[in-house]
Amino acid sequence: MYALAVFLPLIAAIIAGLGGRWLKDSGAQFVTCGALLASAAISIYMLFDVAVGGNPQTVELFTWISSGTFEVTWALRFDQLTAVMMFVVTVVSAMVHVYSIGYMHHDPSIPRFMAYLSLFTFFMLMLVTSDNFVQMFFGWEGVGLCSYFLIGFWYDRPAANDAAIKAFLVNRVGDFGFALGIMGVFFLYQAVSFDEVFAATPELSKATIHFLGAEYHALTVLCILLFIGAMGKSAQLGLHTWLPDAMEGPTPVSALIHAATMVTAGVFMVARLSPMFEYSPIALSLVVVVGASTAFFAATIGLCQNDIKRVIAYSTCSQLGYMFFACGVSAYSAGIFHLTTHAFFKALLFLGAGSVIHAMSGEQDMRKMGGLWRLIPLTYTMMWVGSLALAGLPFFAGFYSKDMILESAFAAHTGLGTYAFWLGIAAAIMTAFYSWRLLIMTFHGSSRADEKTLAHVHESPKSMTIPLLVLALGAIFSGFVGFDYFVGEHMAEFWGKSIFVMEGNNVIEAAHHVPFWVKALTIIVVLGGIGLAYAMYMGAPNSPARFVAAIRPVYLFVYNKWYFDELYDRIFVRPAFYLGRGLWKEGDGALIDGLGPDGVTAVVRNLARRASALQTGYVYHYAFAMLIGVAGMVTWYLYGQTG
Amino acid sequence: MTDWPILSLVTFLPTLGAAFILLFIRGDAADVAQRSRATALWVSLSTFLVSLLLWVDFDTTTASFQYVQKIAWIPSLGISYHMGVDGISMLFVILSTFLTPICVLASWQSVQTRVKEYMVAFLVLETLMVGMFCALDFVLFYVFFEAVLIPMFLIIGIWGGANRVYAAFKFFLYTLAGSVLMLIALLTIYFEADSSDIPTLLHHSFDPDLQRWLWLAFFASFAVKVPMWPVHTWLPDAHVEAPTAGSVILAGVLLKMGAYGFLRFSVPMLPFATEFFTPLIYTLSIIAVIYTSLVALAQEDMKKLIAYSSVAHMGFVTIGIFTLTQQGLQGALFQMLSHGIIASALFLCVGVVYDRLHSREIARYGGLVHRMPVYAAMFMVFMLGSVGLPGTSGFVGEFLILVGVFQVNSWVAMLATTGIILGAAYMLYLYRRVIFGKLTKDDLKNMLDLSPREIAVMAPLIVVTLWMGIYPAPFLAVMDASVANLISEHKTAMEAIKAVSLAAR
């Protein structure tokens, strides 16, 4: 039955995708939403059976690739970690499917959209249920593909096409590492299934590998390579540039793929591979550094974005950083806990933002909003719930999970743990600040929209508001309900063997006993951030502009996203085209062809021309040539005689 | 196992069809054209069906040659008509017979001049391709190997584009240079081993010094056919000028001849030299992967872009062959099949729009998805196959090769893996410029979507692309025993050579 939960979305995608013309819009919506709701129902049951009930299982399908000792099967692994991920993916996806009915109702290609969404869900489920590295890679690339389809869904728009290609290519850079990692895993273990690899890891914990001309600790190399894949998918520092641009896609896509599910695949990967990462302190340190730095860096950019979706996108990037540094300090369960709560409140925020955009007839710039709260009160309330959960105020979901992460980082008592803790605190202030900046700019003050748009503002239809309410329930309660299971007293039974933490790395236990000031600090900084946002944007609406003017260079640096795009354009994109053209015209054209076929032809033709030049047709020329010939022969003969 | 000469039947059935067309189809021009097309289609389809029997009865547990047929041909010289297939060649026979009907169908409307001769050329070409993969006597092999060029040369030269003479000539010049050297090598082998029988030669051990020279001579011929950098420049021109179906056969089958040659001659017969020259192959292949991918990025002509991508993909193949690992070799074989399907399909995709607008220039297109959604979807599948997305055939081959090479040399693995990034770059960029965007150009606004005939051409290729991607086991099973045998023979041979050189000391 659990396999059905995975394949229902695929079947729905095929039906809606190929049969869209006959099914019409409503048929496609019915098929895909129905399949997803059924899949979500099965997943909820599974969460209780597999995770709470402790009943992991694996379903083998058939052989995929078999070449010598390289054996890969299609198999679905339903363990505790998978159950949690499936729950998150199917529930959020089902809500997004329903929401899309309302959000996309003006669009001319609804069946295609619904098919893509369902197909994405299928690949995501394949990713989280994978039983081996290669199948994980299948899901991994598959979600990337659907992300590409959906970002570029409005293929008329050049910006959407650019963003789609960028997303695919930046992800491919990450996948470059992932693929090499898989090759390395096979090289070291002669196996690629998780069970075999994890079982052999303790023996191989000291093994070395010869990689790129030097000998290294094998697990460190492998984990770092695999982590590069995770960085790409989860938009971590350096490979993050695609995520903000991905907001060119329709908003439900941003909620599902670029907030709740796909981008968290990297975190899932690290947690899934915890039996390997645990044996490589260096790789874990890298995870901490990258995660914490991203949390901080993305939050700074979030401070000064004006596009409502981009603010939330950078916030996602930053929150993913939290999840990563949690994993890096061995608090995998805290990372997955945050992944779960984040999926609800971030999807809520995105869909709320979608509701705002829907109300504003497609406007996304917060500078042209303001004063909307009276007009769309339900959306306004939902955005509040989402923001409270994101900021992590007490008793909302984010409070439990984010505090757990910060406390774990603190309790790790390592240099890097402390680094992560303080950057996390700094990011928490900024998170609170930009969340309330968003709320205030969008909903409060006087409206900056034009008359026509304003007259058209309306609350969204039920198909959009009901999913918001469901997600809001998750954003409020998932932390409170999940705490005991994910990171609290039932933790050990809940996770079973799906997450591995080495003796002595159990920071979650230590995190329950951090000093009181740590727990208090996290709440105080959030309140401070909110207060600051109120003071600046409500109290003195001119102050942001003055402040920006005062620190203009810093502001520009942050506003331009630390110039990553410009840098990459200079060092990768343009040189690639430049080189390509150069190699084509000069390398192939001038050099190879010039010396090769064209050169040979030229030489032959040249010789032929000279030879033909001899044939002038004048008798005395020929006579002269003959005479020289005869003279030459006689001379040679005479020399022969004497010599 | 059957007693009737099935390989000869598969090989010569198309020639019989060609003879039939030449001898019996007469009448007024339109009638002749139509009947030639129909005959060619039926003949090639039945050839394909017969060839499938090869797979049905194929014994996957043995590495020895199957369906063997041996008749003395020139007894005084010991040359015989010797046919047979093993796990390395069998699927290429099927690839050839599979692509020929597709080519006939694809040329249904696009070729309107000298239709009869065109169909005859294709059927003869099929015979020669199949014969080349089945030949187990190198004289026979050489005849087929070289004769393949003649119909191809004619197809480009007669039914090709504007600049066809230059292309046909360049194609000929390159391949001829290689062929001469290969002939010398074959003669040397003949005088050295006193046999032209390939199975016999597989067990003959050549002197290491001689091996190097022989290897280089073979290399000259095979590298051109693959094509490897830097002898690849004939390929873009040949593709650009060839008619669509010509490109399909060129990319689908002819490019496999070089790699097949490496597998049939260089690697098993010259183990010492193979190991000696492996770094050379790696270097050239990596240059091919990176260099041609970058060049593909800069192309303005669709066919040229795909031609360059072929060079990059074949770079993976040569890497895989010379890893001499199970995964690398199986991956290389698989990649050859996969590329045969996907590159052919991509050329067909270009052909579809070329038939409508008579331009291959990327900038002439844009926004085709608006008018041609079915075409866009099919093109997308093949594009993803070319990019090597898991679930398509492109992934399985590429990934197995990389897995194989990582065990041998991580530098090569790392550099070759950059190909998956660059490959995605040029294909997505192509797709974006041709298919996506606004539909602004007037003459594109009334382009028609795929006709049922065109769908019939593309659909089998889609099925195979996905089948090979999701359930490649049947294909890999065919290769398994032969590849394993190739590796173990290689090891034994190397040990023998080492023993001899130790003893000599």
Side-chain angles (χ1 to χ4, degrees):
Chain A
M1 183 176 77
Y2 295 155
L4 196 63
V6 177
F7 287 105
L8 271 177
L10 175 67
I11 296 166
I14 293 172
I15 294 175
L18 299 182
R21 280 186 213 175
W22 297 277
L23 283 173
K24 303 280 189 265
D25 294 355
S26 55
Q29 287 163 342
F30 178 77
V31 169
T32 50
C33 293
L36 256 295
L37 288 169
S39 181
I42 298 174
S43 302
I44 292 171
Y45 173 76
M46 185 168 83
L47 182 67
F48 286 99
D49 177 32
V50 171
V52 180
N55 181 23
Q57 47 197 279
T58 302
V59 179
E60 296 239 343
L61 299 173
F62 54 90
T63 305
W64 181 13
I65 304 174
S66 161
S67 170
T69 47
F70 187 81
E71 295 247 9
V72 186
T73 42
W74 291 107
L76 305 175
R77 175 196 186 95
F78 300 103
D79 66 358
Q80 291 86 344
L81 184 58
T82 301
V84 170
M85 290 302 292
M86 274 191 76
F87 165 72
V88 171
V89 171
T90 53
V91 170
V92 174
S93 176
M95 289 308 112
V96 168
H97 271 73
V98 175
Y99 179 92
S100 303
I101 297 176
Y103 189 82
M104 299 296 286
H105 75 100
H106 287 309
D107 202 273
S109 28
I110 289 174
R112 184 165 62 94
F113 184 74
M114 300 310 281
Y116 285 168
L117 277 188
S118 294
L119 186 67
F120 164 78
T121 313
F122 164 71
F123 279 121
M124 191 68 206
L125 292 176
M126 284 305 275
L127 196 167
V128 299
T129 57
S130 60
D131 184 50
N132 57 64
F133 285 90
V134 187
Q135 192 180 330
M136 193 183 210
F137 193 68
F138 168 80
W140 194 266
E141 291 258 288
V143 289
L145 170 71
C146 293
S147 162
Y148 161 78
F149 282 154
L150 284 163
I151 296 169
F153 180 74
W154 289 311
Y155 44 65
D156 278 354
R157 303 180 183 175
N161 285 326
D162 288 343
I165 292 185
K166 186 170 171 186
F168 198 95
L169 289 184
V170 175
N171 267 297
R172 271 265 157 149
V173 175
D175 293 350
F176 164 79
F178 192 177
L180 279 173
I182 299 175
M183 295 167 215
V185 165
F186 178 72
F187 179 59
L188 185 66
Y189 295 90
Q190 291 293 306
V192 285
S193 83
F194 290 144
D195 286 332
E196 287 173 71
V197 167
F198 295 163
T201 304
E203 280 171 46
L204 291 167
S205 62
K206 297 272 185 287
T208 56
I209 192 171
H210 195 73
F211 185 67
L212 302 187
E215 205 74 21
Y216 300 100
H217 178 224
L219 281 168
T220 300
V221 172
L222 299 187
C223 289
I224 289 175
L225 286 172
L226 294 166
F227 180 62
I228 292 173
M231 284 173 67
K233 193 101 307 178
S234 296
Q236 293 299 290
L237 193 59
L239 296 178
H240 66 282
T241 52
W242 65 273
L243 183 61
D245 288 15
M247 299 302 135
E248 290 295 335
T251 309
V253 173
S254 314
L256 176 62
I257 301 183
H258 305 121
T261 56
M262 183 184 86
V263 289
T264 61
V267 182
F268 166 76
M269 180 219 254
V270 176
R272 169 61 86 207
L273 302 181
S274 54
M276 290 174 72
F277 276 84
E278 279 294 290
Y279 285 96
S280 172
I282 298 176
L284 282 179
S285 309
L286 181 73
V287 176
V288 176
V289 173
V290 169
S293 309
T294 310
F296 176 81
F297 149 85
T300 59
I301 300 178
L303 293 175
C304 42
Q305 293 294 309
N306 290 319
D307 182 312
I308 186 167
K309 285 177 72 179
R310 287 192 183 231
V311 174
I312 311 179
Y314 278 107
S315 153
T316 305
C317 204
S318 161
Q319 297 298 313
L320 289 166
Y322 277 96
M323 299 175 207
F324 271 114
F325 77 70
C327 293
V329 296
S330 295
Y332 304 97
S333 47
I336 297 292
F337 187 30
H338 196 53
L339 187 161
T340 309
T341 59
H342 173 262
F344 288 107
F345 61 70
K346 191 52 69 65
L348 175 65
L349 280 171
F350 258 122
L351 294 185
S355 185
V356 171
I357 296 166
H358 192 70
M360 295 290 291
S361 315
E363 182 57 61
Q364 301 193 5
D365 191 336
M366 296 192 296
R367 285 169 298 188
K368 296 186 184 157
M369 297 181 181
L372 290 174
W373 72 276
R374 271 179 220 281
L375 300 168
I376 43 173
L378 183 67
T379 303
Y380 175 60
T381 320
M382 293 297 120
M383 291 297 278
W384 258 91
V385 172
S387 301
L388 286 169
L390 170 63
L393 280 173
F395 314 118
F396 285 88
F399 167 71
Y400 295 94
S401 54
K402 188 148 100 182
D403 278 19
M404 195 66 222
I405 289 178
L406 289 170
E407 287 158 16
S408 303
F410 181 84
H413 290 299
T414 56
L416 288 173
T418 314
Y419 168 80
F421 174 74
W422 287 109
L423 283 186
I425 291 284
I429 306 177
M430 292 187 274
T431 306
F433 179 83
Y434 64 64
S435 300
W436 264 263
R437 172 175 174 266
L438 184 153
L439 281 176
I440 296 166
M441 282 181 80
T442 310
F443 294 103
H444 292 276
S446 54
S447 176
R448 298 173 292 275
D450 57 56
E451 297 272 314
K452 199 175 147 213
T453 318
L454 211 52
H456 198 67
V457 172
H458 58 281
E459 188 59 89
S460 303
K462 284 233 165 51
S463 61
M464 288 168 70
T465 49
I466 291 174
L468 287 179
L469 288 168
V470 173
L471 291 171
L473 288 179
I476 298 171
F477 296 113
S478 63
F480 173 71
V481 174
F483 187 79
D484 277 349
Y485 292 106
F486 280 77
V487 291
E489 47 187 313
H490 303 306
M491 191 175 116
E493 309 92 82
F494 183 79
W495 292 112
K497 286 186 195 146
S498 63
I499 287 179
F500 171 78
V501 179
M502 242 191 311
E503 290 293 320
N505 275 2
N506 195 349
V507 292
I508 302 258
E509 189 47 40
H512 288 298
H513 308 293
V514 293
F516 179 73
W517 67 266
V518 175
K519 291 181 195 261
L521 181 68
T522 53
I523 298 174
I524 293 167
V525 295
V526 168
L527 290 174
I530 296 173
L532 190 63
Y534 264 101
M536 282 178 77
Y537 286 87
M538 286 283 261
N542 292 331
S543 65
R546 270 197 316 236
F547 182 65
V548 163
I551 55 157
R552 189 156 177 80
V554 179
Y555 174 77
L556 277 182
F557 182 68
V558 176
Y559 181 75
N560 287 306
K561 302 165 282 189
W562 296 30
Y563 294 104
F564 266 99
D565 283 330
E566 287 74 6
L567 182 71
Y568 285 174
D569 190 53
R570 290 274 161 75
I571 61 176
F572 295 122
V573 181
R574 280 194 230 171
F577 278 98
Y578 178 78
L579 262 178
R581 177 155 290 275
L583 291 176
W584 175 31
K585 295 287 184 198
E586 304 303 322
D588 267 20
L591 202 64
I592 297 176
D593 277 354
L595 295 179
D598 293 354
V600 172
T601 335
V603 170
V604 171
R605 196 176 293 158
N606 215 346
L607 285 177
R609 191 175 305 124
R610 286 195 196 167
S612 66
L614 292 176
Q615 299 168 11
T616 51
Y618 295 109
V619 177
Y620 60 88
H621 279 177
Y622 297 139
F624 185 64
M626 279 165 71
L627 207 65
I628 291 176
V630 169
M633 271 154 64
V634 169
T635 321
W636 184 71
Y637 179 74
L638 288 178
Y639 261 101
Q641 287 284 309
T642 52
Chain B
M1 203 69 47
T2 46
D3 288 335
W4 49 293
I6 182 170
L7 284 179
S8 298
L9 182 67
V10 174
T11 309
F12 292 105
L13 194 59
T15 308
L16 284 180
F20 179 85
I21 292 176
L22 276 180
L23 294 176
F24 295 108
I25 295 185
R26 312 248 151 144
D28 71 290
D31 195 35
V32 167
Q34 197 52 34
R35 276 160 55 207
S36 310
R37 286 183 192 119
T39 314
L41 183 62
W42 285 116
V43 168
S44 54
L45 269 180
S46 21
T47 311
F48 172 58
L49 291 178
V50 175
S51 72
L52 281 182
L53 291 176
L54 289 175
W55 198 351
V56 174
D57 283 344
F58 193 81
D59 181 2
T60 55
T61 55
T62 171
S64 52
F65 290 98
Q66 306 185 26
Y67 310 105
V68 176
Q69 189 190 3
K70 192 170 183 181
I71 303 168
W73 180 20
I74 312 175
S76 56
L77 297 175
I79 298 168
S80 55
Y81 172 80
H82 190 177
M83 303 280 268
V85 286
D86 65 352
I88 291 172
S89 53
M90 194 275 280
L91 289 171
F92 292 104
V93 173
I94 295 187
L95 179 70
S96 313
T97 57
F98 174 67
L99 287 177
T100 308
I102 285 177
C103 285
V104 171
L105 205 54
S107 318
W108 210 257
Q109 277 162 4
S110 56
V111 173
Q112 291 295 351
T113 51
R114 299 171 187 267
V115 178
K116 184 172 153 185
E117 290 79 1
Y118 182 85
M119 293 300 164
V120 168
F122 262 90
L123 291 174
V124 170
L125 183 60
E126 183 177 10
T127 289
L128 299 172
M129 294 186 302
V130 173
M132 202 264 322
F133 287 120
C134 298
L136 288 184
D137 184 290
F138 72 58
V139 176
L140 190 63
F141 173 86
Y142 189 77
V143 169
F144 283 126
F145 191 83
E146 294 306 325
V148 163
L149 294 183
I150 300 166
M152 198 65 220
F153 188 73
L154 293 176
I155 287 169
I156 297 177
I158 297 174
W159 293 276
N163 205 7
R164 56 183 181 255
V165 174
Y166 174 72
F169 159 76
K170 201 166 169 183
F171 172 56
F172 202 75
L173 196 67
Y174 262 118
T175 42
L176 187 76
S179 307
V180 173
L181 290 171
M182 184 166 94
L183 182 63
I184 296 171
L186 288 175
L187 289 174
T188 316
I189 288 180
Y190 181 73
F191 290 119
E192 174 78 18
D194 201 25
S195 170
S196 65
D197 192 49
I198 292 175
T200 313
L201 290 170
L202 289 177
H203 298 285
H204 185 91
S205 50
F206 294 93
D207 176 65
D209 285 330
L210 182 64
Q211 282 196 21
R212 284 188 208 162
W213 290 110
L214 291 174
W215 195 95
L216 282 175
F218 278 128
F219 176 74
S221 176
F222 299 148
V224 168
K225 285 275 177 15
V226 168
M228 293 180 75
W229 187 86
V231 288
H232 64 283
T233 59
W234 63 271
L235 185 70
D237 286 306
H239 269 309
V240 163
E241 300 306 331
T244 302
S247 290
V248 169
I249 290 295
L250 193 55
V253 184
L254 264 55
L255 291 197
K256 311 301 171 301
M257 288 165 48
Y260 176 73
F262 279 127
L263 282 165
R264 192 51 87 218
F265 291 90
S266 309
V267 174
M269 290 183 197
L270 312 169
F272 173 77
T274 297
E275 219 142 277
F276 183 81
F277 286 111
T278 296
L280 172 74
I281 295 278
Y282 283 163
T283 313
L284 295 182
S285 306
I286 285 172
I287 294 177
V289 169
I290 297 173
Y291 176 110
T292 49
S293 296
L294 287 170
V295 172
L297 202 55
Q299 294 306 306
E300 291 145 5
D301 178 307
M302 285 194 248
K303 269 191 156 180
K304 265 198 175 164
L305 193 152
I306 298 167
Y308 275 110
S309 88
S310 291
V311 181
H313 283 131
M314 292 310 287
F316 275 98
V317 171
T318 42
I319 292 175
I321 290 173
F322 284 84
T323 60
L324 290 172
T325 58
Q326 183 81 20
Q327 290 82 28
L329 276 164
Q330 278 192 299
L333 283 166
F334 199 88
Q335 170 85 342
M336 282 154 77
L337 294 172
S338 155
H339 177 264
I341 301 291
I342 291 171
S344 305
L346 287 171
F347 280 117
L348 287 170
C349 285
V350 176
V352 165
V353 288
Y354 183 78
D355 285 348
R356 285 163 174 68
L357 204 65
H358 297 286
S359 171
R360 294 179 311 262
E361 205 187 325
I362 295 169
R364 283 286 288 109
Y365 295 91
L368 289 183
V369 63
H370 293 267
R371 292 285 303 156
M372 310 176 73
V374 178
Y375 173 70
M378 290 192 158
F379 195 168
M380 175 60 85
V381 173
F382 299 125
M383 182 196 84
L384 295 173
S386 171
V387 165
L389 198 87
T392 64
S393 58
F395 170 74
V396 179
E398 225 166 71
F399 201 74
L400 279 175
I401 292 170
L402 293 171
V403 164
V405 72
F406 193 96
Q407 299 172 59
V408 184
N409 188 328
S410 55
W411 270 110
V412 179
M414 202 268 295
L415 291 170
T417 311
T418 56
I420 71 167
I421 304 174
L422 295 168
Y426 62 72
M427 285 312 289
L428 294 182
Y429 187 49
L430 167 73
Y431 193 83
R432 183 229 151 120
R433 284 179 289 170
V434 174
I435 304 287
F436 287 150
K438 279 207 169 66
L439 189 65
T440 47
K441 300 181 179 75
D442 282 330
D443 48 0
L444 299 183
K445 284 187 181 153
N446 39 26
M447 296 251 292
L448 294 175
D449 206 346
L450 297 184
S451 68
R453 178 184 60 82
E454 286 165 331
I455 293 179
V457 170
M458 302 274 201
L461 295 166
I462 291 196
V463 171
V464 174
T465 306
L466 295 178
W467 174 27
M468 287 175 74
I470 295 168
Y471 187 55
F475 295 87
L476 292 169
V478 169
M479 307 159 184
D480 202 43
S482 294
V483 167
N485 179 57
L486 183 63
I487 296 169
S488 67
E489 296 264 312
H490 177 81
K491 286 204 179 111
T492 337
M494 285 309 288
E495 271 156 26
I497 289 175
K498 276 185 194 126
V500 168
S501 65
L502 278 179
R505 251 179 235 170

